[in-house]
Amino acid sequence: MSLVPAPVTAIHLDHISKSFTLDGGGTIAALGEVTLKIDKGEFVALLGPSGCGKSTILRLVAALEEPSTGAVTIEGRAPVELSRQHRLGVAFQDHALLPWLTIAQNVALPYQLAGKPVDKARVSALIALVGLAGFEAARPKQLSGGMRQRASIARALVLKPDVLLLDEPFGALDAVTRRQMNVELQRIWSEQRITTLLVTHAVDEALFLADRVVVMTGRPGKILKTVEVPFARPRHPDVTREPRFHELVDELTLALEPAGGHG
Amino acid sequence: MTKMLKTFVSRYWGVAGVLLFWQAWVTITGVNSIVVPHPIDVARDIVTEPGVYLSNGSQTLFLAALGLVLGMALGTLVAVLAWSSDILSGILTPLGLVFSSVPVVALIPIIARLFGYDVKTVLAIVVIISFFPAFVFTSAGLKTLPAGSDDLFRVFGASRWTRFVRLVLPSAVPNWMIAFRLAAPPAVLSAMVAEFLMGTSGLGYLFRSAASNFQTDRAFGTSVVATIISVICFGLALSAERAVLKRWT
Amino acid sequence: MKHRQRIRTITLGAIGIALFLALWELIGIRGWAGLTWPPLSTVLAFLFDPSRRPLFLRAMTASFSMIAFGYAIGLVLGLAAAALGHLVPPLRPGLDRLASIIHAIPTIALAPLFIVLLSRELTGMAIAALGVFFVIYVSATSGLAASSAAHRDLFQVFGTSRLTQLRRLDMPAALPALVSGMKYAVPAAFIGAILGEWFGSSRGLGLLMVSAMQNFQIPLLWSAVLIASTASLLIFGLMSLAERLAYERYR
Ligand SMILES: Nc1ncnc2c1ncn2[C@@H]1O[C@H](COP(=O)(O)OP(=O)(O)OP(=O)(O)O)[C@@H](O)[C@H]1O
Ligand SMILES: [Mg+2]
């Protein structure tokens, strides 16, 4: 008998594939066979070339799409049950803030959608956390692209979700702000150990944040390789300077190259 | 000072040009001044008998405004009903399209005959005329949700009602304001035309009686008052639209 | 999937129109709306009675020619004004104001002016032209602004003259919006012509409507309105087809 509790599977993609029907009548295979298990409290990053099906995987977990074959379960049940219980947090690739609400109202929106009273203190704390203090009363169009993305991350976190899905949340940020946001995200994650699935194009971001990095290839999307990230937590930004970190960056970058990383 | 003058010229040279062209036309073709009254005479009639213009003008304005509000409300209500049911929407949408592609003003004589020559008929006409843009634009607005918002509401587990109140209705507001601005001038116009055709009361009636009594200064005075009322209504609707769109999009 | 959606849309639309026509007939037969609401069949029988053909033909010729001329004049003026504002930007604000004031004036208020300046018969044409002018000006202006900034910069870098840019970039980009505008100008032209005829023209569908209304000639009244509406609907439908072609080709 082991003293370490066995990991509990939170998200399970069980031999799923997904194809879309195009307007013309043809079909496009977005995902081939994909199997992936994500443990409770685990942070998994998805890497892969554009169009390889990363967002599609996220949408399947968020119950926004149905798999063509196979099954997606969260804690053994259908993902839609999780969203009905308001236990899902999502930040999409495009921010999806409502233009007629202020930033504070946008961040508070999940409370209203869940029919819960708004926790004003938590809303302003999260806004401060993503570096938007002072912009509570601004409207989305008055903010830059990166600021909007940060607002949508605050919104994803506001209900203390059990599963967090992030689709290139820092895509529009400059390198410095991105680094800062990575540190903040790690801090928030360490406090609650939310099961997190992060889609990103940045190899160093994936290595810095995730427990496991999954590399995909496209058309149809498949998992190419999985890399366990060996660095202990909490991770100081200085890990990115370690030789081991650079080795892993090189390994993953190679895997991402069109040839497929057989070198 | 010169800056103000410059802005004024840059904004109103077109209007001024048309007025000058009109004056030139009258001078060159030598139209009889009994047929076209001098602007002074028109102004004198308005100033000396403001009561006639005021009572008739306010009645027309009241009917147009009330009819516009009721028509917009009705159009919005039907658009929401159509939104809630695919079948209803499939049936009503093409009808809305048909009615917005026909000259609805031509329906005024029919409505006048159906409801009888009465002030209430004027109101009914304005309601019907304002209904169609409200229905067509609100219907479209209820379907144009901000990018990604539908997914967002599903992921956060919003109920159908919450989605309607917090997403679908607010999404329709910009289109609703466009409908309001588009419907405002036809509301005043159709009220006046209805009054003109039925000869009940209001500006349209004043216009008709002045024309048939050859009081050309009164007829032109009515035109001036009607134009002022309509331009003000349109201006108000336009600035309301701009203010809302600024906050909303 | 897409195909089934289309069939569904068409079926439901056809049901909607059929229900509307059936209701029209039923209300007329049952007399729910009184004597002034004739059944559709009565109106159609009245309309297609050979003895009335000359009457309707005369009215249609008069009205449709006013509509066509008014439409053409409004189209040319609207295009000219939009092109002027586009080529000489300082003139834009003045043109915009003029257009929106023309739009805001209740056309009935201009009738006395047109009656003296032109004639009773041409008043409808003038009002139609004004309505068309506004719709065309607005759609052409917004269409001319539709060519993307990136494309404009590209042309600028190549040192293209303003006129060439208008011909090669702005006009093709403006075409879809313009065709949409031309579509919406159709009912505007009909409204203008009919309104004009209500102010004492001696011919046309508008005259038929007013005199039928005053003399309680109910089937005649509905027939005249039906003719005008159907004609507007048909031309609007044709324009919709042209619009679809323009969008496919230029977007
Ligand atoms: N709704 C849809 N209809 C048709 N095809 C789709 C749809 N959604 C995604 N696809 C296709 O599925 C494939 C994967 O798309 P997906 O958005 O998951 O890629 P991605 O990995 O997120 O790319 P990126 O990094 O550019 O965001 C693409 O080829 C895309 O064209
Ligand atoms: Mg994506």
Side-chain angles (χ1 to χ4, degrees):
Chain A
M1 275 193 29
S2 159
L3 289 178
V4 184
V8 181
T9 303
I11 303 173
H12 188 189
L13 306 176
D14 191 3
H15 296 89
I16 50 159
S17 70
K18 175 73 189 171
S19 45
F20 292 100
T21 314
L22 297 176
D23 287 353
T27 55
I28 178 169
L31 289 177
E33 242 200 27
V34 172
T35 297
L36 180 64
K37 276 187 182 176
I38 300 176
D39 293 338
K40 196 170 168 61
E42 194 184 13
F43 195 128
V44 170
L46 272 182
L47 275 177
S50 180
C52 72
K54 304 181 298 292
S55 299
T56 306
I57 288 189
L58 230 69
R59 292 175 61 80
L60 286 165
V61 177
L64 292 171
E65 306 277 1
E66 288 287 320
S68 306
T69 61
V72 182
T73 50
I74 302 180
E75 294 172 3
R77 280 171 300 183
V80 70
E81 291 188 27
L82 205 75
S83 61
R84 287 220 187 97
Q85 294 164 350
H86 321 291
R87 285 165 57 204
L88 211 57
V90 176
F92 292 109
Q93 206 164 355
D94 93 64
H95 55 83
L97 298 172
L98 297 185
W100 55 85
L101 298 181
T102 64
I103 293 305
Q105 287 167 336
N106 263 298
V107 174
L109 184 71
Y111 283 114
Q112 281 150 347
L113 301 190
K116 293 177 182 163
V118 177
D119 182 347
K120 289 224 175 88
R122 181 163 171 81
V123 170
S124 40
L126 274 171
I127 290 178
L129 193 75
V130 296
L132 288 178
F135 289 97
E136 286 86 353
R139 291 186 186 279
K141 73 168 169 199
Q142 296 168 317
L143 303 188
S144 72
M147 291 160 96
R148 281 180 228 156
Q149 279 191 329
R150 282 184 274 158
S152 83
I153 291 170
R155 183 181 58 192
L157 290 168
V158 78
L159 286 183
K160 299 189 179 158
D162 292 336
V163 171
L164 185 60
L165 304 174
L166 303 172
D167 197 347
E168 296 181 40
F170 308 125
L173 298 187
D174 64 281
V176 177
T177 320
R178 189 166 186 148
R179 183 67 52 92
Q180 273 173 13
M181 293 305 300
N182 285 346
V183 173
E184 288 298 340
L185 182 59
Q186 187 196 202
R187 205 173 56 68
I188 300 167
W189 180 83
S190 308
E191 281 170 11
Q192 295 176 25
R193 295 270 165 163
I194 311 168
T195 311
T196 304
L197 186 54
L198 166 79
V199 170
T200 178
H201 281 294
V203 175
D204 53 343
E205 180 172 278
L207 282 171
F208 178 69
L209 286 169
D211 298 315
R212 200 149 44 107
V213 179
V214 174
V215 183
M216 293 180 63
T217 55
R219 286 163 215 278
K222 280 203 180 74
I223 294 180
L224 182 67
K225 72 190 290 180
T226 306
V227 172
E228 299 282 342
V229 183
F231 309 113
R233 295 188 187 270
R235 292 175 190 158
H236 190 267
D238 284 348
V239 284
T240 58
R241 301 219 190 88
E242 287 176 19
R244 182 78 186 113
F245 193 88
H246 286 289
E247 279 168 30
L248 284 172
V249 169
D250 289 345
E251 186 188 332
L252 289 172
T253 312
L254 200 65
L256 281 172
E257 267 165 22
H262 302 295
Chain B
M1 194 58 213
T2 43
K3 195 162 172 257
M4 261 173 65
L5 191 71
K6 257 194 184 147
T7 351
F8 186 79
V9 171
S10 111
R11 281 188 187 164
Y12 291 99
W13 68 267
V15 182
V18 167
L19 292 178
L20 279 177
F21 178 76
W22 169 10
Q23 182 64 50
W25 180 295
V26 174
T27 315
I28 293 165
T29 54
V31 186
N32 197 329
S33 73
I34 300 166
V35 193
V36 181
H38 285 283
I40 301 285
D41 294 331
V42 176
R44 190 190 298 126
D45 191 58
I46 296 178
V47 171
T48 50
E49 291 206 55
V52 184
Y53 290 101
L54 205 64
S55 62
N56 286 297
S58 55
Q59 178 176 349
T60 304
L61 180 61
F62 173 74
L63 288 174
L66 185 63
L68 178 63
V69 169
L70 292 178
M72 290 288 301
L74 203 65
T76 310
L77 193 75
V78 177
V80 169
L81 281 180
W83 173 85
S84 68
S85 145
D86 276 353
I87 293 183
L88 215 53
S89 148
I91 287 174
L92 288 177
T93 309
L95 278 179
L97 189 71
V98 166
F99 274 91
S100 46
S101 61
V102 306
V104 265
V105 170
L107 297 179
I108 292 179
I110 288 187
I111 305 169
R113 265 280 83 98
L114 279 175
F115 290 85
Y117 284 20
D118 187 28
V119 183
K120 272 180 272 168
T121 307
V122 178
L123 188 67
I125 284 169
V126 181
V127 169
I128 291 171
I129 299 244
S130 317
F131 169 86
F132 291 105
F135 170 67
V136 170
F137 276 81
T138 310
S139 290
L142 292 170
K143 284 178 202 143
T144 44
L145 311 177
S149 56
D150 218 7
D151 289 344
L152 184 81
F153 275 61
R154 271 170 68 191
V155 170
F156 282 111
S159 67
R160 206 173 141 77
W161 174 248
T162 316
R163 179 171 175 274
F164 176 67
V165 173
R166 300 216 175 252
L167 179 61
V168 175
L169 267 192
S171 298
V173 167
N175 262 26
W176 198 87
M177 291 310 298
I178 294 175
F180 183 66
R181 187 244 305 157
L182 284 177
V188 179
L189 173 71
S190 54
M192 270 191 78
V193 170
E195 290 164 348
F196 173 85
L197 286 180
M198 296 189 294
T200 43
S201 53
L203 281 185
Y205 158 77
L206 190 65
F207 187 71
R208 177 183 169 144
S209 66
S212 52
N213 297 332
F214 298 103
Q215 293 173 289
T216 46
D217 46 357
R218 175 67 49 91
F220 275 80
T222 314
S223 287
V224 171
V225 171
T227 300
I228 292 172
I229 288 180
S230 191
V231 169
I232 289 176
C233 284
F234 178 72
L236 287 179
L238 190 64
S239 29
E241 182 198 348
R242 290 206 174 129
V244 170
L245 287 193
K246 215 173 132 200
R247 269 201 81 226
W248 221 261
T249 50
Chain C
M1 202 63 197
K2 200 87 183 173
H3 192 64
R4 273 179 49 193
Q5 189 84 27
R6 245 184 107 76
I7 291 179
R8 191 186 144 87
T9 310
I10 293 173
T11 318
L12 281 177
I15 292 177
I17 308 268
L19 272 180
F20 170 73
L21 296 177
L23 202 66
W24 177 350
E25 179 76 15
L26 193 68
I27 293 177
I29 290 177
R30 291 294 166 92
W32 286 334
L35 290 175
T36 48
W37 184 300
L40 175 61
S41 51
T42 311
V43 177
L44 288 181
F46 185 90
L47 187 58
F48 287 109
D49 190 322
S51 69
R52 293 193 190 86
R53 189 166 295 159
L55 173 77
F56 286 128
L57 275 184
R58 235 181 302 125
M60 279 158 73
T61 320
S63 289
F64 291 169
S65 55
M66 286 303 104
I67 291 168
F69 285 126
Y71 189 93
I73 294 171
L75 180 66
V76 170
L77 287 181
L79 281 178
L84 186 66
H86 186 72
L87 291 175
V88 195
L91 298 181
R92 258 300 285 285
L95 287 169
D96 285 350
R97 287 293 149 118
L98 180 63
S100 55
I101 287 182
I102 286 179
H103 172 60
I105 295 176
T107 31
I108 166 175
L110 291 174
L113 204 62
F114 287 140
I115 289 171
V116 252
L117 291 186
L118 298 164
S119 75
R120 278 186 187 284
E121 307 308 329
L122 294 181
T123 298
M125 182 189 80
I127 297 180
L130 277 187
V132 173
F133 166 80
F134 173 74
V135 182
I136 295 293
Y137 175 77
V138 170
S139 63
T141 312
S142 72
L144 284 173
S147 63
S148 75
H151 279 122
R152 275 200 296 271
D153 288 349
L154 186 73
F155 274 66
Q156 203 112 55
V157 171
F158 286 138
T160 324
S161 78
R162 205 145 167 81
L163 216 60
T164 314
Q165 187 192 324
L166 180 75
R167 205 158 56 87
R168 297 251 172 233
L169 173 65
D170 299 341
M171 286 213 305
L175 201 71
L178 179 64
V179 178
S180 295
M182 287 172 68
K183 182 180 82 172
Y184 290 111
V186 171
F190 274 81
I191 289 176
I194 290 168
L195 271 182
E197 286 169 356
W198 286 349
F199 291 93
S201 170
S202 58
R203 313 184 277 244
L205 291 168
L207 175 75
L208 275 192
M209 290 176 202
V210 175
S211 70
M213 174 184 85
Q214 271 148 5
N215 303 322
F216 255 104
Q217 294 163 297
I218 301 303
L220 179 62
L221 169 59
W222 285 69
S223 299
V225 174
L226 189 63
I227 292 176
S229 302
T230 312
S232 176
L233 184 64
L234 281 180
I235 303 175
F236 191 90
L238 288 179
M239 288 289 199
S240 303
L241 287 182
E243 187 188 21
R244 187 174 300 171
L245 285 181
Y247 272 84
E248 267 168 20
R249 177 84 175 71
Y250 288 98
R251 273 280 150 87

